[in-house]
Amino acid sequence: MSRFLVAWEFGEDLGHVRRILPLGRALRERGHEVAFAFRDATRLAAPARESFAAWAAPVLRRPPAFDPAPRNAADVLLNLGFRDVASLRGVQRAWDALLEVVRPDAVIGDYAPNAMIAASRHALPRATVGSGFALPPARDPLPAIRPGERADEAVLRGLDDALTASVSAAVGKTPQITLEHIFRGDANLLATWPELDPLGPRDADYLGPMGGTEGGMETAWNGAGAPRVLAYLKPRDTRFAAVLAALEASGAQAIVAAPGMHEQDAKDRSSARVRIFPCTLRLPPLLREADLCVGHGGPGFAADALRAGVPLLLLPMHLEQELVARRLAEAGLAVLQLSRAPEELAAALAGALDDEALHARAHGFARELATRSTADPAQAAAARIEALVR
Amino acid sequence: MARIALAWELGAELGHAMACATLARALERAGHETRFVFRELHHLDALPLEGRAVYQAPISLREGFGAGVPVSWAEMLLGCGYGDADELHGLVAGWIEVLRGCRAELVVADYAPTALLAARVLGLKRVDYSNGFSIPPRVTPMPPFRPDVRIEAGALAAREAAALGNVNAVLGRYGVAALGALHEQLQVDASFLCTFPELDHYGERPRTEYWGPRYSIEAGDDVPWPYGEGPRVLVYLRASDPRLDAVIEALIAHRCRVAAYVPGLDEARRARLQSAQRRVSTRPLRLAALLPECDLFLNHGGNIAGAALMHGVPQLVLPAQFEQLVTAARIEQAGAGLAVARMDVPHEVRGAFERALRESARLRRGAQAFRKRYAAFSPAEQERRIVARIGQVIAGKPA
């Protein structure tokens, strides 16, 4: 029996939880002990309910300014607080304390660079797991990620150097922490498909998306119109009202999951054809009869839709989502909508609903997915992690 | 002897962490072992913690998201994860894990209501140790703390009921008896309300023991007052305060002698402020050496304001959040200082600064009167009594 610490440090929302919880279960089924450390401690009820050790992951101080279009993976981390040496030092110290108590045999990071650095300093075996965004291809310098821009090699290398310099200033030079320690583990598990990999496709072993949506409120389609659109939206997105209006105008029947919305607000803005729910929904029964999904480009919802053969209209809110959306658009499985103008949104929705080729490709992709490896990605990942400590 | 976890969950800045670190040293001298669970980790270097273990406190990263400034304790909790039973369950689970992990036997809660819930679930002894704002009166309904906002009794009660409902739902999941009222969350084996009635955010409370303000003036770098003529001004402000530039210009214009602690100060402004007459540090200063000769103390109205009062030093308070705004008002009421209440009107700083220098004699009298009223107060004695009382709690003895 071994002990594993599974850490999530960056990224919002449920995507990380829905990936690492099944991984933890798979490790436990194999007889190991698992502790979780979550960036968002308000999500710890899920592992605690299953009697996993449930820690709050140390978090960096939020930087005063945020660049929404970082140039490469190093720049992303600098943007997320890695310039702040005092904060880095404190966070590393808190990981030391946590590792001292948990005493893991290996550390698995889902976008958890500080956990990876701490594990390196403690000479522990390490693995990464994720959707691909947190795992840049191992090139020097780390490759550019800003869409449509060819970045200068020297600029990229400067960002890489700034990142390692900041980490060295925080934790010292022995052991020397390199980009390899920060971003990559002894095993790197890509829990996605090449079509969905924001930094792909690449020469790597794709395990496939891990876990599905768990729980959620039950609801059902009714006879209030066709076609059927299932939307998963952030109510704080500035396009939210325009999307609702476009759905209303399209003549479609829409079910909108908008977790975080006020209940009364959701009720007030719902109509016979467009029903808004201020919570997560149980998606599989809805997806089976959906014609189109509308989302922001989170890989979890996109994977659910694609497995069910439903194409997507994607309205990205941040870089990772835009990269996912671009990949899916390239594969002809989604329509990427970057313009924020309400009339263009409405036109894109109407276009996506009418595009028969889009729907045919999504159906075809779902059939093809079914023929790909049948191994459960969580079990496959658990087996590779286990191999690290043998 | 016991293993004691010092927990800081809510509120910003160095004050809570510094107070915990200082108390911990006294507890260690009494033979206890200490662990720290802190909300913020970026200023550990500025604290007398040496190699001690520090854990991340479980907190909501969406604190206050979509909400205005809260008007009551319940509303504040609702914005910090208590608005949803699952989210609160997550926070409590995180606290249970860390308290178990460091094998705590007693929890010292400094503005740490969820740590108190976890300690209740685990059956640990617990005390609270904080200022007036963080230790609200234990009454129903819990009183609103914003005199500037009208709130209907019904709305106040509804928010308290919502928070209590979620607290009880989570306690129920752990098989712990429901609370009858939200303030029962704050039931402790000993309560160290560290303020004076005049500074209490909730106004003077009947039948409450005040332990006096907490501040430490002995830790920090030794920086002497510069030689020269100008007024001696001590500055304890954050670099991110939008009024800082106006403060710097006023200090220069009035040829002040300055000892300044400005964490996070950028190079450009440091160069502007620094001179032979104006010492600037990014580490805390040893105030014991500076306060006796200080003419004016500029600060945000945190714990350190209590130190200024107890040394009879006039203050210009620049509150950066609501809790400090109330402290600033109390200091003005005591005639011991002036306040620049708004953050968004930096030009008001200069006028207030000039007035504080002009009215220096009056403000000094106000501060000195305060000092005389509490002449018997001694931080060392406060600390000794707190450590002794914690020892009694551990031994299961009544107060």
Side-chain angles (χ1 to χ4, degrees):
Chain A
M1 191 218 58
S2 300
R3 201 163 18 229
F4 295 102
L5 174 65
V6 185
W8 157 40
E9 183 186 355
F10 288 121
E12 308 291 324
D13 297 322
L14 288 168
H16 302 267
V17 176
R18 78 175 236 170
R19 185 157 51 228
I20 57 185
L21 207 51
L23 175 61
R25 290 184 194 126
L27 287 166
R28 180 185 264 179
E29 277 167 32
R30 289 161 174 265
H32 305 296
E33 216 176 285
V34 176
F36 286 103
F38 279 10
R39 163 185 182 75
D40 184 350
T42 63
R43 306 280 190 205
L44 286 172
R49 272 207 193 89
E50 297 180 40
S51 305
F52 288 108
W55 292 81
V59 282
L60 288 173
R61 167 163 49 170
R62 202 183 291 268
F66 182 77
D67 174 2
R71 287 163 192 275
N72 71 359
D75 199 18
V76 173
L77 291 193
L78 290 168
N79 237 325
L80 289 170
F82 268 71
R83 284 184 202 281
D84 187 339
V85 173
S87 182
L88 269 178
R89 195 178 294 141
V91 161
Q92 282 297 316
R93 196 162 154 184
W95 278 112
D96 288 345
L98 206 157
L99 290 174
E100 192 68 34
V101 171
V102 175
R103 298 194 169 279
D105 298 299
V107 178
I108 299 114
D110 185 322
Y111 211 172
N114 269 302
M116 291 293 103
I117 294 167
S120 302
R121 292 172 40 244
H122 290 254
L124 290 167
R126 307 169 307 124
T128 67
V129 61
S131 67
F133 183 70
L135 184 74
R139 270 188 257 144
D140 175 32
L142 291 173
I145 53 173
R146 207 189 267 184
E149 189 180 296
R150 280 184 58 88
D152 191 319
E153 291 248 316
V155 170
L156 297 175
R157 190 161 286 118
L159 293 164
D160 294 354
D161 292 345
L163 178 65
T164 47
S166 193
V167 171
S168 290
V171 301
K173 294 199 170 191
T174 39
Q176 183 82 46
I177 300 296
T178 64
L179 295 175
E180 186 75 14
H181 294 114
I182 298 170
F183 289 104
R184 305 181 74 83
D186 306 300
N188 299 292
L189 309 165
L190 276 172
T192 187
W193 302 305
E195 295 83 353
L196 200 56
D197 178 357
L199 304 181
R202 51 181 134 182
D203 184 18
D205 188 7
Y206 286 97
L207 298 180
M210 226 178 255
T213 33
E214 295 178 21
M217 203 187 97
E218 290 270 0
T219 186
W221 299 105
N222 59 31
R228 290 168 169 162
V229 180
L230 179 60
Y232 210 110
L233 298 170
K234 290 261 189 259
R236 67 164 192 269
D237 181 35
T238 50
R239 293 163 292 190
F240 187 67
V243 178
L244 294 185
L247 287 169
E248 195 67 57
S250 72
Q253 177 190 168
I255 290 179
V256 180
M261 201 172 175
H262 283 290
E263 213 168 310
Q264 193 55 47
D265 198 17
K267 224 173 264 171
D268 292 347
R269 297 168 80 168
S270 288
S271 68
R273 279 210 306 267
V274 179
R275 287 176 291 153
I276 308 167
F277 298 85
C279 55
T280 56
L281 296 174
R282 208 166 91 75
L283 297 177
L286 297 172
L287 282 168
R288 268 196 292 279
E289 295 173 42
D291 297 294
L292 182 71
C293 284
V294 180
H296 296 299
F301 181 58
D304 288 340
L306 293 172
R307 274 202 200 93
V310 184
L312 297 117
L313 170 63
L314 296 173
L315 321 165
M317 289 177 71
H318 55 69
L319 179 65
E320 179 179 0
Q321 291 172 344
E322 183 181 339
L323 293 171
V324 167
R326 280 179 185 276
R327 295 283 309 122
L328 290 176
E330 280 163 27
L333 301 168
V335 174
L336 163 62
Q337 178 61 22
L338 287 172
S339 160
R340 308 181 81 84
E343 59 281 5
E344 288 187 43
L345 262 174
L349 177 65
L353 283 169
D354 286 344
D355 186 341
E356 282 174 24
L358 175 73
H359 292 260
R361 281 191 301 270
H363 281 292
F365 186 65
R367 277 195 302 275
E368 196 222 307
L369 281 178
T371 66
R372 289 188 193 175
S373 162
T374 51
D376 173 15
Q379 289 292 345
R384 304 219 187 150
I385 289 164
E386 202 170 41
L388 292 178
V389 295
R390 278 219 191 94
Chain B
M1 300 310 104
R3 204 168 300 102
I4 298 174
L6 294 103
W8 161 40
E9 178 186 355
L10 299 172
E13 301 316 313
L14 205 55
H16 298 280
M18 183 61 92
C20 284
T22 309
L23 177 63
R25 296 186 76 108
L27 289 166
E28 286 171 10
R29 285 194 295 274
H32 303 292
E33 258 185 69
T34 59
R35 302 282 187 274
F36 301 91
V37 192
F38 279 173
R39 167 188 183 80
E40 291 174 0
L41 303 167
H42 57 262
H43 33 46
L44 300 186
D45 286 350
L47 301 169
L49 288 170
E50 281 77 47
R52 290 168 180 77
V54 182
Y55 302 87
Q56 170 74 55
I59 50 173
S60 166
L61 299 177
R62 292 176 301 283
E63 278 178 11
F65 182 78
V69 179
V71 302
S72 69
W73 180 261
E75 197 168 271
M76 192 268 303
L77 290 183
L78 289 173
C80 293
Y82 282 60
D84 178 288
D86 268 340
E87 292 196 3
L88 178 58
H89 183 183
L91 294 174
V92 171
W95 278 104
I96 287 175
E97 201 66 60
V98 69
L99 294 177
R100 257 198 207 131
C102 63
R103 292 178 296 136
E105 295 158 80
L106 178 139
V107 177
V108 175
D110 184 347
Y111 205 179
T114 318
L116 288 176
L117 281 181
R120 174 183 291 262
V121 170
L122 293 171
L124 302 181
K125 298 206 160 105
R126 51 195 189 270
V127 303
D128 57 16
Y129 169 61
S130 206
N131 61 21
F133 187 76
S134 325
I135 304 183
R138 292 165 172 87
V139 294
T140 300
M142 296 178 75
F145 48 66
R146 288 193 60 176
D148 55 327
V149 173
R150 261 182 64 85
I151 175 164
E152 282 175 34
L156 196 66
R159 280 167 207 161
E160 192 161 322
L164 178 64
N166 288 329
V167 166
N168 281 336
V170 173
L171 290 177
R173 291 180 197 178
Y174 286 101
V176 173
L179 307 182
L182 188 61
H183 70 80
E184 289 174 19
Q185 170 182 20
L186 307 169
Q187 270 170 0
V188 286
D189 298 289
S191 183
F192 306 113
L193 176 60
C194 291
T195 187
F196 286 128
E198 295 89 336
L199 292 179
D200 191 341
H201 296 77
Y202 284 98
E204 195 165 339
R205 308 177 200 192
R207 296 184 303 281
T208 295
E209 187 170 3
Y210 287 100
W211 289 72
R214 50 182 200 173
Y215 51 83
S216 63
I217 56 169
E218 289 300 336
D221 293 353
D222 248 319
V223 172
W225 283 113
Y227 293 111
E229 298 294 313
R232 279 167 292 220
V233 181
L234 188 55
V235 179
Y236 255 56
L237 296 173
R238 272 184 306 159
S240 56
D241 193 294
R243 297 160 294 193
L244 183 63
D245 285 321
V247 167
I248 292 174
E249 295 316 315
L251 292 168
I252 294 171
H254 288 271
R255 300 171 177 281
C256 299
R257 282 181 278 167
V258 175
Y261 166 51
V262 188
L265 188 64
D266 50 282
E267 209 30 67
R269 288 194 290 179
R270 160 191 284 280
R272 177 84 183 125
L273 179 56
Q274 179 104 338
S275 78
Q277 292 281 81
R278 298 185 295 271
R279 309 258 165 90
V280 186
S281 172
T282 49
R283 294 177 42 76
L285 307 173
R286 199 170 79 84
L287 296 178
L290 294 164
L291 285 172
E293 297 191 287
C294 179
D295 296 308
L296 183 63
F297 189 178
L298 271 61
N299 64 72
H300 291 302
N303 289 341
I304 215 75
L309 279 174
M310 293 313 296
H311 286 77
V313 175
Q315 311 182 49
L316 178 60
V317 185
L318 282 66
Q321 28 98 329
F322 186 75
E323 176 185 338
Q324 296 168 346
L325 186 68
V326 175
T327 305
R330 298 272 187 273
I331 289 168
E332 271 195 332
Q333 280 161 13
L338 299 177
V340 182
R342 288 175 59 181
M343 296 184 77
D344 54 351
V345 280
H347 62 271
E348 282 185 5
V349 167
R350 182 154 189 163
F353 186 84
E354 283 165 4
R355 221 183 111 208
L357 289 180
R358 218 169 38 238
E359 298 177 16
S360 168
R362 171 180 77 83
L363 299 176
R364 184 167 291 278
R365 277 196 302 279
Q368 292 287 354
F370 199 94
R371 176 190 192 168
K372 277 191 203 114
R373 198 173 320 145
Y374 294 105
F377 175 77
S378 136
E381 177 60 11
Q382 177 205 51
E383 184 178 274
R384 191 196 64 74
R385 286 178 56 223
I386 289 175
V387 171
R389 182 74 194 95
I390 288 175
Q392 288 174 335
V393 168
I394 290 164
K397 289 184 196 150

